[in-house]
Amino acid sequence: MVEFVFANPELEAKYGHWKSFLQENFKSEDNYKVQFDGAIPTIFDPEGRKFKIDFLGDNLNYNKVKSSVNKEPLAKALGSGTKGFKLLDLSAGLGVDSIFLHQLGFKVTAVERNPLVYMALKIASEQMQEIEIVFSDSLKFLESVNPGDFDVAYFDPMFPEKKKSALPKQEMVFFKNLVGTDEDASQIFHLAIEKKLFKRFVVKRPLSAESFKKPAGSIEGKIIRYDIYGL
């Protein structure tokens, strides 16, 4: 169940259509609240934790200091544009990597299957209309993709974490509770590989995690790596 709260009638007139979308697509016994005090909604979970997606207002997550497309590890893993710039992000999530890649020059289409997260992304994307946000399950979306539709693809599946001594910040606790883990990550990976849809396919993994399949190469950071599959 989702409760909508609008600060004024103008905001309700502009964003009220999301009520029917969530009634149709968001199936949960928990009570969530979406509060519109302005153009960017704040979403509350049953415990009062909250998050919002604001591409322009959240400089910490969406306006990172970056070097050139040729030097950033993720862009290098994707080919730095040598394989083409039409990019499919199969796990939009909070949109952090999608925005980062857009700022580096990639033409991004991002897929998100959680209705609440999709709504937040879609509203935020009105600030940055060059990015296309698609509401779909990644497996179903891949079935509709043909070779050549996109040059490269990126996949950052969410996995169960090992026990830690401290919890992440409240926004990430909320987000992970909301979307869960990507239990079909292996299916998504193998479908993308088998259909040979992209010139390059990059998968983000924890540094200590096993690969889905032996990659052609990897770019490693301190805690994560990018596995590269040249298709």
Side-chain angles (χ1 to χ4, degrees), residues 15 21 24 33 44 50 60 64 68-69 74 118 132 147 178 226 230:
Y15 297 108
F21 170 80
E24 180 179 351
K33 182 171 74 172
F44 296 83
K50 61 183 179 180
L60 179 63
K64 297 179 179 179
S68 71
V69 68
L74 176 53
Y118 168 76
E132 182 181 4
L178 176 63
Y226 299 107

Side-chain angles (χ1 to χ4, degrees), residues 20-222:
S20 58
F21 170 80
L22 290 177
Q23 285 173 353
E24 180 179 351
N25 295 286
F26 186 67
K27 310 301 181 185
S28 174
E29 295 180 0
D30 295 324
N31 296 320
Y32 288 82
K33 182 171 74 172
V34 181
Q35 184 169 306
F36 282 91
D37 294 322
I40 298 297
T42 302
I43 302 172
F44 296 83
D45 73 359
E47 284 74 41
R49 289 183 291 254
K50 61 183 179 180
F51 87 99
K52 65 169 62 178
I53 298 177
D54 187 351
F55 294 159
L56 295 184
D58 182 354
N59 289 322
L60 179 63
N61 287 312
Y62 300 106
N63 191 19
K64 297 179 179 179
V65 176
K66 63 189 74 67
S67 54
S68 71
V69 68
N70 296 315
K71 294 182 178 179
E72 290 293 342
L74 176 53
K76 287 172 65 177
L78 289 162
S80 301
T82 61
K83 305 296 181 182
F85 283 95
K86 292 184 297 181
L87 179 140
L88 176 62
D89 183 347
L90 286 165
S91 47
L94 295 172
V96 174
D97 288 331
S98 293
I99 293 299
F100 182 70
L101 290 165
H102 162 71
Q103 292 167 343
L104 288 173
F106 288 89
K107 183 179 180 182
V108 178
T109 297
V111 179
E112 178 53 49
R113 62 181 166 191
N114 183 279
L116 264 178
V117 178
Y118 168 76
M119 180 196 72
L121 285 169
K122 193 68 174 177
I123 293 172
S125 71
E126 295 174 2
Q127 305 170 317
M128 204 171 282
Q129 296 181 3
E130 298 91 343
I131 293 179
E132 182 181 4
I133 310 294
V134 176
F135 177 58
S136 177
D137 178 281
S138 292
L139 276 173
K140 291 181 180 179
F141 188 79
L142 280 174
E143 292 287 359
S144 69
V145 175
N146 297 308
D149 289 349
F150 301 95
D151 301 313
V152 293
Y154 173 59
F155 186 35
D156 177 14
M158 187 172 288
F159 291 93
E161 291 190 298
K162 296 179 180 178
K163 291 183 179 179
K164 294 184 177 181
S165 59
L167 288 173
K169 60 183 181 179
Q170 69 162 355
E171 291 89 348
M172 285 310 300
V173 175
F174 178 179
F175 183 73
K176 290 176 181 178
N177 287 343
L178 176 63
V179 303
T181 57
D182 291 320
E183 296 180 359
D184 57 356
S186 179
Q187 294 174 270
I188 293 169
F189 171 83
H190 287 290
L191 180 60
I193 294 291
E194 290 164 6
K195 289 190 72 176
K196 299 181 179 180
L197 297 173
F198 317 105
K199 297 173 185 175
R200 182 168 289 189
F201 183 36
V202 171
V203 182
K204 183 178 179 180
R205 299 289 282 148
L207 196 58
S208 60
E210 294 184 4
S211 300
F212 288 115
K213 178 181 178 182
K214 185 177 180 180
S218 296
I219 294 179
E220 295 186 355
K222 293 182 179 180

Side-chain angles (χ1 to χ4, degrees), residues 2-6 12 15-25 119:
V2 181
E3 174 191 2
F4 277 75
V5 179
F6 298 96
E12 184 170 10
Y15 297 108
H17 64 281
W18 286 106
K19 289 182 181 180
S20 58
F21 170 80
L22 290 177
Q23 285 173 353
E24 180 179 351
N25 295 286
M119 180 196 72

